Amino acid sequence: MKNNMRYITAILLLFTSLVALAQDGFEKKVFIKDGDSLNYQILLPRNFDKNKQYPLVLFLHGSGERGNDNESQLVHGSKVFLDEGNRAAFPAVVVFPQCPKDSYWANVDVDRSVMPLGFKFNPDAAPTKAMQGVLDLVDGLLAQAFIKKDQIYVAGLSMGGMGTYELLSRKPETFAAAIAICGGGSTSLVQKYALNTPMWVLHGAQDNVVTPQHSLDMVSALLDAGAFPRFTLYENANHNSWDAAFAEPDFLSWLFKHNLSKN
């Protein structure tokens, strides 16, 4: 009962802070539940009206943007959503959480003694503290009446791409579409979400930090599960393949054309 009351309080605080937000740009916020906190920044549509409904986009940053400044997570990707043309064409609530320096979005063991880095994904492990924060934040946002429940999207790059796959496996019926850039994940969990969530997987063929083999493995697993993912391999891109991904002319239109009730 006590935990339920704490969660209800967290939801009420989240709602109160959201409806008071300015609409000029991203705003710093902190989500708190059971004494644990997660920094995030949120962008509301122009002319936001709490009596209307909007899609929700969750964006997960890479490991280089971890910290507690509640700013670094906007380094990559935020300009796509701040673009006035995109804001007009795709009005949505956009959320960029920030992973603490000592945590990771996905539950994975990272071997930094080799390049590309070595990754051992742990499909049966509990969520990291950062991932649990994201799960709770998503639940809090889904409780808001102004969020369209059939248009929830997630995208991420590098560590955030790994977090994208894991988030899909932990909430397999929540997301209408997902984009994973230069990431990877547990192929054994793909069947949980493969047929529910259309995916666009992107990677640089010359990536010497996260080998493109991880994306190839995820695409293969999605195909084996009966899904038809979109896959883009950039011939000349290294790890910063997100630059090419964000420049895709239909980066947002591909995402927003999907609707959970129609997938």
Side-chain angles (χ1 to χ4, degrees):
M1 182 63 178
K2 184 180 293 186
N3 286 339
N4 288 338
M5 288 303 297
R6 287 176 179 171
Y7 186 64
I8 292 172
T9 300
I11 297 302
L12 290 174
L13 289 173
L14 175 67
F15 176 76
T16 302
S17 64
L18 289 184
V19 296
L21 280 176
Q23 298 168 37
D24 292 335
F26 280 93
E27 290 280 339
K28 294 181 180 180
K29 294 294 171 182
V30 181
F31 181 76
I32 301 174
K33 181 186 175 187
D34 295 337
D36 291 326
S37 63
L38 179 73
N39 289 333
Y40 69 98
Q41 291 222 29
I42 185 167
L43 177 71
L44 294 182
R46 290 292 188 191
N47 303 311
F48 172 76
D49 183 344
K50 63 182 178 65
N51 295 311
K52 295 182 179 181
Q53 288 194 316
Y54 305 92
L56 169 66
V57 181
L58 183 74
F59 193 92
L60 302 179
H61 63 80
S63 63
E65 293 72 62
R66 289 177 296 173
N68 60 5
D69 62 356
N70 207 359
E71 293 181 359
S72 298
Q73 73 266 39
L74 297 183
V75 169
H76 303 298
S78 62
K79 291 181 180 179
V80 174
F81 298 99
L82 287 170
D83 178 87
E84 287 300 331
N86 288 337
R87 293 189 75 180
F90 309 105
V93 176
V94 182
V95 175
F96 275 60
Q98 184 179 37
C99 181
K101 195 71 174 179
D102 60 352
S103 193
Y104 216 78
W105 293 132
N107 195 315
V108 56
D109 299 322
V110 184
D111 182 359
R112 300 186 180 278
S113 67
V114 296
M115 292 297 285
L117 301 177
F119 296 96
K120 178 182 178 296
F121 298 97
N122 303 308
D124 300 321
T128 63
K129 183 178 180 180
M131 175 56 69
Q132 187 59 57
V134 170
L135 292 168
D136 292 337
L137 176 61
V138 170
D139 286 342
L141 291 165
L142 287 173
Q144 307 307 318
F146 53 80
I147 296 296
K148 286 186 176 181
K149 308 306 186 287
D150 58 355
Q151 285 188 277
I152 312 297
Y153 308 107
V154 59
L157 60 88
S158 194
M159 177 189 74
M162 299 175 193
T164 294
Y165 291 119
E166 181 161 328
L167 186 57
L168 292 176
S169 71
R170 296 188 184 280
K171 285 189 169 294
E173 299 181 357
T174 298
F175 296 94
I179 295 177
I181 306 168
C182 58
S186 297
T187 57
S188 62
L189 298 178
V190 165
Q191 59 185 351
K192 287 188 174 184
Y193 55 85
L195 301 183
N196 298 334
T197 307
M199 290 209 66
W200 187 358
V201 178
L202 308 97
H203 215 121
Q206 299 185 37
D207 195 328
N208 63 355
V209 178
V210 179
T211 173
Q213 188 62 51
H214 287 301
S215 284
L216 290 167
D217 290 343
M218 296 304 286
V219 169
S220 179
L222 286 162
L223 290 168
D224 288 343
F228 301 98
R230 182 175 180 177
F231 181 44
T232 303
L233 186 66
Y234 298 108
E235 177 184 2
N236 298 313
N238 201 308
H239 189 52
N240 64 333
S241 54
W242 51 79
D243 290 333
F246 295 144
E248 291 284 350
D250 63 341
F251 184 82
L252 289 184
S253 61
W254 179 89
L255 199 64
F256 282 91
K257 75 178 181 180
H258 296 288
N259 185 304
L260 196 61
S261 63
K262 299 177 181 178
N263 284 350

